[in-house]
Coordinates of all heavy atoms in Angstrom, one line a residue:
M1 N 103.9 61.1 111.1 CA 104.8 62.1 111.6 C 104.6 62.2 113.1 O 103.5 62.3 113.6 CB 104.6 63.4 110.9 CG 105.7 64.4 111.3 SD 105.5 66.1 110.5 CE 105.7 65.7 108.8
T2 N 105.7 62.2 113.8 CA 105.6 62.2 115.3 C 105.3 63.6 115.8 O 105.5 64.6 115.1 CB 106.8 61.7 115.9 OG1 107.9 62.6 115.7 CG2 107.2 60.3 115.4
T3 N 104.9 63.7 117.0 CA 104.6 65.0 117.6 C 105.9 65.8 117.7 O 105.9 67.0 117.4 CB 104.0 64.9 119.0 OG1 102.8 64.1 118.9 CG2 103.7 66.2 119.7
L4 N 107.0 65.2 118.0 CA 108.3 65.9 118.0 C 108.7 66.5 116.7 O 109.1 67.6 116.6 CB 109.4 64.9 118.5 CG 110.8 65.5 118.6 CD1 110.9 66.7 119.5 CD2 111.9 64.5 119.0
N5 N 108.5 65.7 115.6 CA 108.8 66.2 114.3 C 107.9 67.4 113.9 O 108.4 68.4 113.4 CB 108.5 65.1 113.2 CG 109.5 63.9 113.3 OD1 110.5 64.0 114.0 ND2 109.2 62.9 112.5
T6 N 106.6 67.3 114.3 CA 105.7 68.4 114.0 C 106.1 69.7 114.8 O 106.1 70.8 114.3 CB 104.3 68.0 114.4 OG1 103.9 66.9 113.7 CG2 103.3 69.1 114.1
C7 N 106.5 69.5 116.1 CA 107.0 70.6 116.9 C 108.2 71.3 116.3 O 108.3 72.5 116.2 CB 107.2 70.2 118.3 SG 105.7 69.9 119.2
I8 N 109.2 70.4 115.9 CA 110.4 71.0 115.4 C 110.1 71.7 114.1 O 110.6 72.8 113.8 CB 111.5 69.8 115.2 CG1 112.0 69.4 116.5 CG2 112.6 70.3 114.3 CD1 112.8 68.1 116.5
G9 N 109.3 71.1 113.2 CA 108.9 71.8 112.0 C 108.2 73.1 112.2 O 108.5 74.1 111.5
A10 N 107.3 73.1 113.2 CA 106.6 74.3 113.4 C 107.5 75.4 114.0 O 107.4 76.6 113.6 CB 105.5 74.1 114.4
I11 N 108.4 75.1 114.8 CA 109.4 76.1 115.4 C 110.3 76.6 114.3 O 110.5 77.8 114.1 CB 110.2 75.5 116.5 CG1 109.2 75.2 117.7 CG2 111.3 76.4 116.9 CD1 109.8 74.4 118.8
A12 N 110.8 75.7 113.4 CA 111.6 76.1 112.3 C 110.9 77.0 111.4 O 111.4 78.0 110.9 CB 112.1 74.8 111.6
A13 N 109.6 76.7 111.0 CA 108.8 77.5 110.2 C 108.6 78.9 110.8 O 108.7 79.9 110.1 CB 107.5 76.8 109.9
A14 N 108.3 78.9 112.0 CA 108.1 80.2 112.7 C 109.4 81.1 112.7 O 109.3 82.3 112.4 CB 107.6 80.0 114.2
C15 N 110.5 80.4 113.0 CA 111.8 81.2 113.0 C 112.1 81.7 111.6 O 112.5 82.9 111.5 CB 112.9 80.3 113.5 SG 112.9 79.9 115.2
T16 N 112.0 80.9 110.6 CA 112.4 81.3 109.2 C 111.4 82.4 108.7 O 111.8 83.2 107.9 CB 112.6 80.2 108.3 OG1 111.4 79.4 108.2 CG2 113.7 79.3 108.7
T17 N 110.2 82.3 109.1 CA 109.2 83.2 108.6 C 109.4 84.6 109.4 O 109.4 85.6 108.8 CB 107.8 82.7 108.9 OG1 107.6 81.5 108.1 CG2 106.7 83.7 108.4
L18 N 109.5 84.5 110.7 CA 109.6 85.7 111.5 C 110.9 86.4 111.2 O 111.0 87.6 111.5 CB 109.5 85.4 113.0 CG 108.1 85.0 113.4 CD1 108.1 84.5 114.9 CD2 107.1 86.1 113.2
A19 N 111.9 85.7 110.7 CA 113.2 86.4 110.4 C 113.1 87.5 109.4 O 113.9 88.4 109.3 CB 114.2 85.3 109.9
F20 N 112.0 87.5 108.6 CA 111.9 88.5 107.6 C 111.2 89.8 108.1 O 111.2 90.8 107.4 CB 111.1 87.9 106.4 CG 112.0 87.1 105.5 CD1 112.1 85.8 105.7 CD2 112.7 87.7 104.4 CE1 113.0 85.0 105.0 CE2 113.5 87.0 103.7 CZ 113.7 85.6 103.9
V21 N 110.5 89.7 109.2 CA 109.8 90.8 109.7 C 110.7 92.0 110.0 O 110.3 93.2 109.5 CB 109.0 90.4 111.0 CG1 108.3 91.7 111.6 CG2 107.9 89.4 110.6
P22 N 111.8 91.9 110.6 CA 112.6 93.1 110.8 C 113.1 93.8 109.5 O 113.1 95.0 109.4 CB 113.9 92.6 111.6 CG 113.4 91.3 112.2 CD 112.4 90.7 111.3
Q23 N 113.4 93.0 108.5 CA 113.8 93.5 107.2 C 112.7 94.3 106.5 O 112.9 95.4 106.0 CB 114.3 92.4 106.3 CG 114.9 93.0 105.0 CD 116.1 93.8 105.2 OE1 117.1 93.4 105.7 NE2 116.1 95.1 104.9
V24 N 111.5 93.7 106.6 CA 110.3 94.4 106.0 C 110.0 95.7 106.7 O 109.8 96.7 106.1 CB 109.1 93.5 106.0 CG1 107.8 94.2 105.6 CG2 109.3 92.2 105.2
V25 N 110.0 95.7 108.0 CA 109.8 96.9 108.8 C 110.8 98.0 108.5 O 110.5 99.1 108.2 CB 109.7 96.6 110.3 CG1 109.6 97.8 111.2 CG2 108.5 95.7 110.6
K26 N 112.1 97.6 108.5 CA 113.1 98.6 108.3 C 113.0 99.1 106.8 O 113.2 100.3 106.6 CB 114.5 97.9 108.5 CG 115.7 98.9 108.2 CD 117.0 98.2 108.4 CE 118.1 99.3 108.1 NZ 119.4 98.7 108.1
S27 N 112.8 98.2 105.9 CA 112.7 98.7 104.5 C 111.5 99.6 104.3 O 111.6 100.6 103.6 CB 112.6 97.4 103.6 OG 113.7 96.6 103.6
W28 N 110.4 99.2 104.9 CA 109.2 100.0 104.8 C 109.4 101.4 105.4 O 109.0 102.4 104.8 CB 108.0 99.3 105.5 CG 106.7 100.0 105.2 CD1 106.1 100.9 106.0 CD2 105.8 99.7 104.1 NE1 104.9 101.3 105.4 CE2 104.7 100.5 104.3 CE3 105.9 98.9 103.0 CZ2 103.7 100.6 103.4 CZ3 104.9 98.9 102.1 CH2 103.8 99.7 102.3
R29 N 110.0 101.5 106.6 CA 110.1 102.7 107.3 C 111.2 103.7 106.6 O 110.9 104.8 106.5 CB 110.6 102.5 108.8 CG 109.4 102.0 109.6 CD 109.9 101.9 111.1 NE 108.8 101.4 111.9 CZ 108.9 100.9 113.1 NH1 110.1 100.8 113.6 NH2 107.9 100.5 113.7
T30 N 112.3 103.1 106.3 CA 113.4 103.9 105.8 C 113.4 104.1 104.3 O 114.0 105.1 103.8 CB 114.8 103.3 106.2 OG1 115.0 102.1 105.5 CG2 114.9 103.1 107.7
R31 N 112.8 103.2 103.6 CA 112.8 103.2 102.1 C 114.2 103.1 101.6 O 114.5 103.4 100.4 CB 112.1 104.4 101.5 CG 110.6 104.5 101.9 CD 109.8 103.4 101.4 NE 108.4 103.6 101.9 CZ 107.4 103.0 101.5 NH1 107.5 102.1 100.6 NH2 106.2 103.2 102.0
D32 N 115.2 102.7 102.4 CA 116.6 102.5 102.0 C 116.8 101.0 101.7 O 116.9 100.2 102.7 CB 117.5 103.0 103.1 CG 119.0 102.7 102.7 OD1 119.3 102.5 101.5 OD2 119.8 102.8 103.6
L33 N 116.8 100.7 100.5 CA 117.0 99.3 100.1 C 118.4 99.1 99.4 O 118.6 98.1 98.6 CB 115.9 98.8 99.2 CG 114.6 98.6 100.1 CD1 113.7 99.8 100.0 CD2 114.0 97.3 99.7
S34 N 119.3 100.0 99.6 CA 120.6 100.0 98.9 C 121.4 98.7 99.2 O 122.2 98.2 98.4 CB 121.4 101.2 99.2 OG 121.6 101.3 100.6
G35 N 121.2 98.2 100.4 CA 121.9 97.0 100.8 C 121.2 95.7 100.5 O 121.7 94.6 100.8
I36 N 120.1 95.8 99.8 CA 119.3 94.6 99.4 C 119.7 94.1 98.0 O 119.7 94.9 97.1 CB 117.8 94.9 99.4 CG1 117.3 95.3 100.8 CG2 116.9 93.7 98.9 CD1 117.4 94.3 101.9
S37 N 120.0 92.9 97.8 CA 120.4 92.3 96.6 C 119.1 91.9 95.8 O 118.3 91.0 96.2 CB 121.2 91.1 96.8 OG 121.4 90.4 95.6
L38 N 118.9 92.6 94.6 CA 117.7 92.3 93.8 C 117.8 90.9 93.3 O 116.7 90.2 93.4 CB 117.6 93.3 92.6 CG 116.5 93.1 91.7 CD1 115.1 93.2 92.4 CD2 116.5 94.1 90.6
P39 N 118.9 90.4 92.8 CA 118.9 89.0 92.3 C 118.6 88.0 93.4 O 117.8 87.0 93.3 CB 120.3 88.8 91.8 CG 120.8 90.1 91.4 CD 120.1 91.0 92.4
M40 N 119.1 88.2 94.6 CA 118.9 87.3 95.7 C 117.5 87.3 96.1 O 116.9 86.2 96.3 CB 119.8 87.7 96.9 CG 119.6 86.8 98.2 SD 118.2 87.4 99.2 CE 118.2 86.3 100.5
Y41 N 116.8 88.5 96.3 CA 115.4 88.5 96.7 C 114.5 88.0 95.6 O 113.5 87.4 95.9 CB 115.0 89.9 97.1 CG 115.0 90.0 98.6 CD1 116.1 90.4 99.3 CD2 113.8 89.8 99.4 CE1 116.1 90.4 100.7 CE2 113.8 89.9 100.7 CZ 115.0 90.2 101.4 OH 115.0 90.2 102.8
T42 N 114.9 88.2 94.4 CA 114.1 87.6 93.3 C 114.1 86.1 93.3 O 113.0 85.4 93.3 CB 114.6 88.1 91.9 OG1 114.5 89.5 91.9 CG2 113.7 87.5 90.8
I43 N 115.3 85.5 93.4 CA 115.4 84.1 93.4 C 114.8 83.5 94.7 O 114.1 82.5 94.6 CB 116.9 83.6 93.3 CG1 117.5 84.0 92.0 CG2 117.1 82.2 93.6 CD1 119.0 84.0 91.9
F44 N 115.0 84.1 95.8 CA 114.4 83.7 97.1 C 112.9 83.7 97.0 O 112.2 82.7 97.4 CB 114.9 84.5 98.2 CG 114.3 84.1 99.5 CD1 114.8 83.0 100.2 CD2 113.2 84.8 100.1 CE1 114.2 82.5 101.4 CE2 112.7 84.3 101.3 CZ 113.2 83.2 101.9
T45 N 112.3 84.8 96.5 CA 110.9 84.9 96.5 C 110.3 83.8 95.6 O 109.2 83.2 95.9 CB 110.4 86.3 96.0 OG1 111.0 87.3 96.9 CG2 108.9 86.5 96.0
I46 N 110.9 83.6 94.4 CA 110.4 82.5 93.5 C 110.5 81.2 94.3 O 109.6 80.3 94.2 CB 111.3 82.5 92.2 CG1 110.9 83.7 91.4 CG2 111.0 81.2 91.4 CD1 111.9 84.0 90.2
G47 N 111.6 80.9 95.0 CA 111.8 79.7 95.7 C 110.7 79.5 96.8 O 110.1 78.4 96.9
V48 N 110.4 80.5 97.5 CA 109.4 80.4 98.5 C 108.0 80.2 97.9 O 107.2 79.4 98.4 CB 109.3 81.7 99.4 CG1 108.2 81.8 100.3 CG2 110.6 81.8 100.2
I49 N 107.7 80.8 96.8 CA 106.4 80.6 96.1 C 106.3 79.1 95.7 O 105.3 78.5 95.8 CB 106.2 81.6 94.9 CG1 106.0 83.0 95.5 CG2 105.1 81.2 94.1 CD1 106.1 84.1 94.5
L50 N 107.5 78.6 95.2 CA 107.5 77.2 94.8 C 107.3 76.3 96.0 O 106.6 75.2 95.9 CB 108.8 76.9 94.0 CG 108.9 77.5 92.6 CD1 110.2 77.3 92.0 CD2 107.8 77.0 91.7
W51 N 107.9 76.6 97.1 CA 107.6 75.8 98.4 C 106.1 75.9 98.7 O 105.6 74.9 99.2 CB 108.5 76.4 99.5 CG 109.8 75.7 99.6 CD1 111.0 76.4 99.4 CD2 110.1 74.4 99.9 NE1 112.0 75.5 99.6 CE2 111.5 74.3 99.9 CE3 109.4 73.3 100.2 CZ2 112.2 73.1 100.2 CZ3 110.0 72.1 100.5 CH2 111.4 72.0 100.5
L52 N 105.5 77.1 98.6 CA 104.1 77.2 98.8 C 103.3 76.3 97.9 O 102.4 75.6 98.4 CB 103.7 78.7 98.6 CG 102.2 79.0 98.7 CD1 101.6 78.6 100.1 CD2 102.0 80.5 98.5
V53 N 103.6 76.3 96.6 CA 102.9 75.4 95.7 C 103.1 74.0 96.1 O 102.2 73.2 96.1 CB 103.4 75.6 94.2 CG1 102.9 74.6 93.3 CG2 103.0 77.0 93.8
Y54 N 104.3 73.6 96.5 CA 104.6 72.2 96.9 C 103.8 71.9 98.1 O 103.2 70.8 98.2 CB 106.1 72.1 97.3 CG 106.5 70.8 97.9 CD1 106.5 69.6 97.2 CD2 106.8 70.8 99.2 CE1 106.9 68.4 97.7 CE2 107.2 69.6 99.8 CZ 107.2 68.4 99.1 OH 107.6 67.2 99.7
G55 N 103.7 72.8 99.1 CA 102.8 72.6 100.3 C 101.4 72.3 99.9 O 100.7 71.5 100.5
V56 N 100.9 73.1 99.0 CA 99.5 72.9 98.5 C 99.4 71.5 97.8 O 98.4 70.8 98.1 CB 99.1 74.0 97.5 CG1 97.8 73.7 96.9 CG2 99.0 75.4 98.2
L57 N 100.3 71.2 97.0 CA 100.3 69.9 96.3 C 100.3 68.7 97.3 O 99.6 67.7 97.0 CB 101.4 69.7 95.3 CG 101.4 70.7 94.1 CD1 102.6 70.6 93.3 CD2 100.1 70.4 93.2
I58 N 101.0 68.8 98.4 CA 101.0 67.7 99.3 C 100.1 67.9 100.5 O 100.1 67.1 101.4 CB 102.5 67.4 99.8 CG1 103.0 68.6 100.6 CG2 103.4 67.1 98.7 CD1 104.3 68.3 101.4
S59 N 99.3 69.0 100.5 CA 98.3 69.3 101.5 C 99.0 69.4 102.9 O 98.4 68.8 103.9 CB 97.2 68.3 101.5 OG 96.5 68.3 100.3
D60 N 100.1 70.0 103.0 CA 100.8 70.2 104.3 C 100.6 71.6 104.8 O 101.3 72.5 104.3 CB 102.3 69.9 104.1 CG 103.1 69.7 105.4 OD1 102.8 70.5 106.3 OD2 103.9 68.9 105.5
W61 N 99.7 71.8 105.8 CA 99.3 73.1 106.2 C 100.5 73.9 106.9 O 100.6 75.1 106.6 CB 98.1 73.0 107.2 CG 96.9 72.7 106.4 CD1 96.2 71.5 106.4 CD2 96.2 73.6 105.6 NE1 95.2 71.6 105.5 CE2 95.1 72.9 105.0 CE3 96.4 74.9 105.2 CZ2 94.2 73.4 104.1 CZ3 95.5 75.5 104.2 CH2 94.5 74.7 103.7
P62 N 101.4 73.3 107.6 CA 102.5 74.1 108.1 C 103.4 74.6 107.0 O 103.8 75.8 107.1 CB 103.3 73.1 109.0 CG 102.3 72.1 109.5 CD 101.3 72.0 108.3
V63 N 103.6 73.9 106.0 CA 104.4 74.3 104.8 C 103.7 75.4 104.1 O 104.2 76.4 103.7 CB 104.8 73.1 103.9 CG1 105.4 73.6 102.6 CG2 105.6 72.1 104.6
I64 N 102.4 75.2 103.9 CA 101.5 76.2 103.2 C 101.5 77.6 104.0 O 101.8 78.6 103.4 CB 100.1 75.7 103.0 CG1 100.1 74.5 102.1 CG2 99.2 76.8 102.6 CD1 98.8 73.8 102.1
I65 N 101.2 77.5 105.3 CA 101.1 78.7 106.1 C 102.4 79.5 106.2 O 102.5 80.7 105.9 CB 100.6 78.4 107.5 CG1 99.1 77.9 107.4 CG2 100.7 79.6 108.4 CD1 98.5 77.3 108.6
A66 N 103.5 78.7 106.5 CA 104.8 79.4 106.7 C 105.3 80.0 105.4 O 105.8 81.2 105.3 CB 105.9 78.4 107.1
N67 N 105.1 79.3 104.3 CA 105.6 79.9 103.0 C 104.7 80.9 102.4 O 105.1 81.8 101.7 CB 105.8 78.7 102.0 CG 107.1 78.0 102.3 OD1 108.2 78.5 102.2 ND2 106.9 76.8 102.8
A68 N 103.4 80.9 102.7 CA 102.5 82.0 102.3 C 102.9 83.3 103.0 O 103.0 84.3 102.4 CB 101.0 81.6 102.6
I69 N 103.1 83.2 104.3 CA 103.6 84.4 105.0 C 104.9 84.9 104.6 O 105.1 86.1 104.3 CB 103.5 84.1 106.6 CG1 102.1 83.9 107.0 CG2 104.1 85.3 107.3 CD1 102.0 83.3 108.4
T70 N 105.9 84.0 104.4 CA 107.2 84.3 104.0 C 107.2 84.9 102.6 O 107.9 85.9 102.3 CB 108.2 83.1 104.0 OG1 108.2 82.6 105.4 CG2 109.6 83.5 103.7
A71 N 106.4 84.4 101.7 CA 106.2 84.9 100.3 C 105.7 86.3 100.4 O 106.2 87.2 99.6 CB 105.3 84.0 99.5
L72 N 104.7 86.6 101.2 CA 104.2 87.9 101.4 C 105.3 88.9 101.8 O 105.5 90.0 101.3 CB 103.0 87.9 102.3 CG 102.4 89.3 102.6 CD1 101.7 89.9 101.3 CD2 101.4 89.2 103.7
L73 N 106.0 88.5 102.9 CA 107.0 89.4 103.5 C 108.1 89.6 102.5 O 108.6 90.8 102.3 CB 107.6 88.8 104.8 CG 106.6 88.7 105.9 CD1 107.2 87.9 107.1 CD2 106.2 90.1 106.4
A74 N 108.6 88.6 101.8 CA 109.7 88.7 100.8 C 109.2 89.5 99.6 O 110.0 90.3 99.1 CB 110.2 87.3 100.4
S75 N 108.0 89.4 99.2 CA 107.5 90.1 98.1 C 107.4 91.6 98.4 O 107.7 92.4 97.5 CB 106.1 89.6 97.7 OG 106.2 88.3 97.2
V76 N 107.1 92.0 99.7 CA 107.1 93.4 100.0 C 108.5 94.0 99.8 O 108.6 95.0 99.2 CB 106.6 93.6 101.5 CG1 106.8 95.0 102.0 CG2 105.1 93.2 101.6
V77 N 109.5 93.3 100.4 CA 110.9 93.8 100.2 C 111.2 93.9 98.7 O 111.8 94.9 98.3 CB 111.9 93.0 101.0 CG1 113.3 93.4 100.8 CG2 111.5 93.1 102.5
L78 N 110.9 92.8 98.0 CA 111.2 92.8 96.6 C 110.6 93.9 95.8 O 111.2 94.6 95.0 CB 110.8 91.4 96.0 CG 111.1 91.2 94.5 CD1 112.6 91.4 94.2 CD2 110.6 89.9 94.0
L79 N 109.3 94.2 96.1 CA 108.6 95.3 95.4 C 109.1 96.6 95.8 O 109.2 97.5 94.9 CB 107.1 95.2 95.7 CG 106.4 94.0 95.1 CD1 104.9 93.9 95.6 CD2 106.4 94.0 93.5
L80 N 109.5 96.8 97.1 CA 110.1 98.1 97.5 C 111.4 98.3 96.8 O 111.8 99.4 96.4 CB 110.3 98.1 99.0 CG 109.0 98.3 99.8 CD1 109.3 98.1 101.3 CD2 108.4 99.6 99.6
K81 N 112.2 97.2 96.6 CA 113.5 97.3 95.9 C 113.3 97.6 94.5 O 114.0 98.5 93.9 CB 114.2 95.9 96.1 CG 115.6 95.9 95.3 CD 116.6 96.8 95.9 CE 117.9 96.7 95.3 NZ 118.9 97.6 95.8
L82 N 112.3 97.0 93.8 CA 112.1 97.3 92.4 C 111.6 98.7 92.3 O 112.0 99.4 91.3 CB 111.0 96.3 91.9 CG 111.5 94.9 91.6 CD1 110.3 94.0 91.3 CD2 112.5 94.8 90.5
K83 N 110.8 99.2 93.2 CA 110.3 100.6 93.2 C 111.4 101.6 93.4 O 111.5 102.6 92.8 CB 109.2 100.8 94.2 CG 108.5 102.1 94.2 CD 107.4 102.2 95.2 CE 106.8 103.6 95.2 NZ 105.8 103.7 96.2
S84 N 112.4 101.2 94.2 CA 113.5 102.1 94.5 C 114.5 102.2 93.3 O 115.2 103.2 93.3 CB 114.3 101.6 95.7 OG 115.1 100.5 95.5
I85 N 114.5 101.3 92.4 CA 115.5 101.4 91.3 C 114.8 101.9 90.0 O 115.4 102.1 89.0 CB 116.2 100.0 91.0 CG1 115.2 98.9 90.6 CG2 117.0 99.6 92.1 CD1 115.8 97.6 90.2
A86 N 113.4 102.0 90.1 CA 112.7 102.5 88.9 C 112.8 104.0 88.8 O 113.1 104.7 89.6 CB 111.2 102.1 89.0

């Protein structure tokens, strides 16, 4: 893999991972998850966890790190959503 490929992948991973931070912060502060789709976040979180497993299987640290963080952030929103409908 070239340095350019690695840089592009790292920037993409950072962007897609950091994109969840504002949603987690807003959801945590307001506890208003009425606009959050439970099916979407469930499917998304499962998908991210599978990407994490894939990263582990191929020993790709950028994939592992990005998806571990994203799985954590998405799980927080998902758990808050589940708590809000219980």
